[in-house]
Amino acid sequence: MTSPVGVPDPRIACRIPGLLGAGAGATGALWKLAESGRQLDANVVRLDPGARVAPHIEPDLDVLLVVVAGDGTLDGAVTPQDLTEGAVVWLPHGSTRAITAGADGLAYLTVHRRRPGMQIRRRAD
């Protein structure tokens, strides 16, 4: 079976264990989905032990976060929640969130709808 003309075939985008092993010691975004025509954005991010993603609000997009290695804490508007390997976390748009890596660091995959590119438009007035 083949996809319609012009539609890419499904494929493995990355292998997380190999990515984490090959990038030992690297921090920040280790991988991102970059294929043209995609409707999603995805990233694999690694934080050093104790590193923190400062509190912020994503006003427009829900984000799905999957912990792939290590542990940490998710701070929201209510109580902190433990992040452990295998946890799948829904971060609803409009919610406040911050992430702190544990003693062994933290690696996670995020997936969300792709933001449209910036466009130049006429002012409404």
Side-chain angles (χ1 to χ4, degrees):
M1 182 161 84
T2 61
S3 300
V5 174
V7 176
D9 284 331
R11 65 180 184 80
I12 294 171
C14 87
R15 296 191 185 274
I16 292 174
L19 180 69
L20 295 176
T27 60
L30 303 179
W31 171 85
K32 67 180 182 175
L33 189 63
E35 284 70 11
S36 64
R38 69 190 186 281
Q39 294 179 345
L40 293 174
D41 274 335
N43 301 284
V44 174
V45 177
R46 182 178 5 221
L47 300 177
D48 282 336
R52 180 169 171 85
V53 175
H56 63 285
I57 295 173
E58 168 47 63
D60 302 318
L61 301 173
D62 288 0
V63 177
L64 193 67
L65 181 149
V66 181
V67 177
V68 297
D71 64 359
T73 305
L74 169 67
D75 293 309
V78 188
T79 30
Q81 299 179 57
D82 291 335
L83 295 175
T84 57
E85 190 170 328
V88 178
V89 182
W90 173 50
L91 303 170
H93 70 281
S95 66
T96 300
R97 73 286 298 259
I99 297 172
T100 305
D104 294 327
L106 176 68
Y108 57 87
L109 166 72
T110 61
V111 181
H112 58 81
R113 182 174 40 93
R114 187 175 181 198
R115 293 180 187 279
M118 293 182 66
Q119 298 176 356
I120 298 174
R121 296 186 179 160
R122 297 186 111 167
R123 288 178 35 173
D125 60 330

